[in-house]
Amino acid sequence: MIFSKSYCPHSTRVGAALAGSTARDQAATRTPPPAGRVRAGAPASLPGCGSEVKELFSSLGVECNVLELDQVDDGAKVQEVLSEITNQKTVPNVFVNKVHVGGCDQTFQAYQSGLLQKLLQEDSAYDYDLIIVGGGSGGLSCAKEAAILGKKVMVLDFVVPSPQGTSWGLGGTCVNVGCIPKKLMHQAALLGQALCDSRKFGWEYNQQVKHNWETMTKAIQNHISSLNWGYRLSLREKAVAYVNSYGEFVEHHKIKATNKKGQETYYTAAQFVIATGERPRYLGIQGDKEYCITSDDLFSLPYCPGKTLVVGASYVALECAGFLAGFGLDVTVMVRSILLRGFDQEMAEKVGSYMEQHGVKFLRKFIPVMIQQLEKGSPGKLKVLAKSTEGTETIEGVYNTVLLAIGRDSCTRKMGLEKIGVKINEKSGKIPVNDVEQTSVPYVYAVGDVSEGKPELTPVAIQSGKLLARRLFGASLEKCDYINVPTTVFTPLEYGCCGLAEEKAIEVYKKENLEIYHTLFWPLEWTVAGRDNNTCYAKIICNKLDHDRVIGFHILGPNAGEVTQGFAAAMKCGLTKQLLDDTIGIHPTCGEVFTTLEITKSSGLDITQKGC
Ligand code: FAD
Ligand code: NAP
């Protein structure tokens, strides 16, 4: 189908040149023309290129619809809309069968790779083979894979601004308000610790060292912008149509896309993937949405948050509290029940006590009941009233910032799923899926954070999206394996794990069938730096009934994420205690500790470290 400056992707296969109203208006009302025909856009700004493109289509025997933007009254308006839709300001701007191909170079590249010919051959009852709602980790990986397999794919992605007005670009949570800015801020905090250590290693400096929030945030946001751009580019290169609009099902196989100006366009597809992720939850108490921020706001906050109360005690809460304290801020974490629910509680407590030793305050068994603004400002001053979860005690505190990290709600309730019969778990909002990520409606699939019972992690979303596309389009039968997914909590002292928590292992296998090996360890880097020799900890849980197979791997120490990754691969290969013993370590590293584990927990022997 088509393309060109004058062309609007929302129009259909062929069609007359646009005239009169804007491309979008017309696109929304136009009837689909027959498949496999091409309309080309004429060059308004790059004479020559447009003719080359037209010649190319003509040589392929394809009839093109051309809109010469300099020859129509609303040409400038059309160009504006085109640039908004495609992020391409120049002409020619080419679309084939509703897929945005790009300018002259991209069209010829697509021709050389055979993609253009493939697109021209497409003819189906639907506009697309696959529409993916949500351009985050899961959605993008699924889209790219489907496009590689030659399918006509569209991604709808739209960020509803947070109550504080924060929004961001393409890429979803991980890139914009999750893993990436979080790990970079964690790194910024670790550098502060490294600066302290550096004096012990002989570095001398006189200037007062302080952290500048604005400098860090600007640098991180610049990096994120480059990633946003990279995602757009890679979709374009793979001829995936990207539309920055909110998707809502209106009837079977049909979705309404509403852009930020409220303009609506309708698309149809043979199959759909829901990959809409989650957004931070609010407390539902007086003042929360008005005055509190969430992780959606923190990473681009234009000012240093100052004295901060973090509400919540899982991944997001502890990670954010950790790096904020690392910048020297006064940080308190308000914990409703336990730290890191679902994780090994021995490890969770060790994570907490390290944070406590490094300046983070914990208010345990309290929940906020009211937030009041005392002073406006950047940051202002907030009064928090909290009550005990165990009695009638109430407390008050004054903070510059209150960061809510109390969990995330699935983005499934406002997208018309009920209109096509996709069932959700009414309580959690999650979408139940079978082992091939299929929902209750056969042509609709769900991947990533919205799918029920799956780890909410970027690599999980990526893997399940990619494998889903391969299965949908006949490239493979492989299903996503959600067992033994490793993860790391990037707290000041990182905690990496794979497999079962000790409590869970006992529940599943019974204590008498398990052997747990553990040790405290002292990273070499910490010795000269004078850091504690009995803080880092390693533990494996082995199933005695199955050759001492390692069913739980836990490490608390520097670079725990890096250490855990390799052991997770080993666990996938069936790692046993014997195989660990047979492995020769790399000295001096933290990971080598797993090759020399000797002391069982059941022996009760001393595991404190005296030296290297
Ligand atoms: P998302 O990445 O959330 O993408 C969904 C997209 O769909 C969003 O762009 C959303 O705006 C859009 N959307 C929603 N509804 C619609 C609609 N109706 N129409 C159009 N678009 C829509 N994971 C890790 O593995 N490691 C980490 O270190 C890590 N750190 C994290 C730190 C924080 C602070 C947070 C919040 C999460 C972190 N995660 C981490 C989790 C990780 O970010 C998610 O698991 C991952 O992003 C999920 O991907 P997804 O594709 O399911 O959804
Ligand atoms: P979460 O894991 O759902 O934890 C929510 C936390 O908030 C819990 O501590 C919970 O306490 C507390 N809480 C819930 N409601 C509360 C209330 N009304 N008042 C006070 N406290 C309340 O949520 P999350 O930390 O936002 O993480 C979401 C997901 O993102 C995670 O599942 C994770 O997979 C992913 N993530 C991953 C990483 C990583 O890989 N490093 C980092 C961040 C996030 P209770 O225990 O009492 O319920």
Side-chain angles (χ1 to χ4, degrees), residues 4 59 133 225 268 277 357 549 563 580 587:
S4 134
S59 72
V133 196
S225 298
T268 60
Q357 282 157 26
R549 183 113 27 231
V563 176
L580 276 176
H587 189 67

Side-chain angles (χ1 to χ4, degrees), residues 111-172:
Y111 169 63
Q112 268 145 21
S113 69
L115 180 66
L116 193 66
Q117 294 84 326
K118 218 180 275 172
L119 288 172
L120 287 165
Q121 278 158 14
E122 289 288 348
D123 186 7
S124 101
Y126 300 109
D127 301 334
Y128 289 91
D129 296 314
L130 181 66
I131 290 183
I132 292 163
V133 196
S137 311
L140 291 181
S141 86
C142 189
K144 287 188 242 174
E145 197 65 18
I148 288 169
L149 294 170
K151 294 298 154 185
K152 191 151 47 131
V153 185
M154 166 177 274
V155 171
L156 290 175
D157 187 64
F158 189 83
V159 179
V160 177
S162 75
Q164 297 297 329
T166 314
S167 74
W168 48 89
L170 181 63

Side-chain angles (χ1 to χ4, degrees), residues 478-509:
E478 190 185 345
K479 294 174 188 171
C480 187
D481 178 5
Y482 295 99
I483 307 294
N484 284 345
V485 172
T487 183
T488 291
V489 187
F490 294 98
T491 34
L493 193 53
E494 294 176 11
Y495 164 38
C497 61
C498 184
L500 300 183
E502 190 174 330
E503 303 78 350
K504 190 73 188 167
I506 291 171
E507 186 190 314
V508 176
Y509 295 98

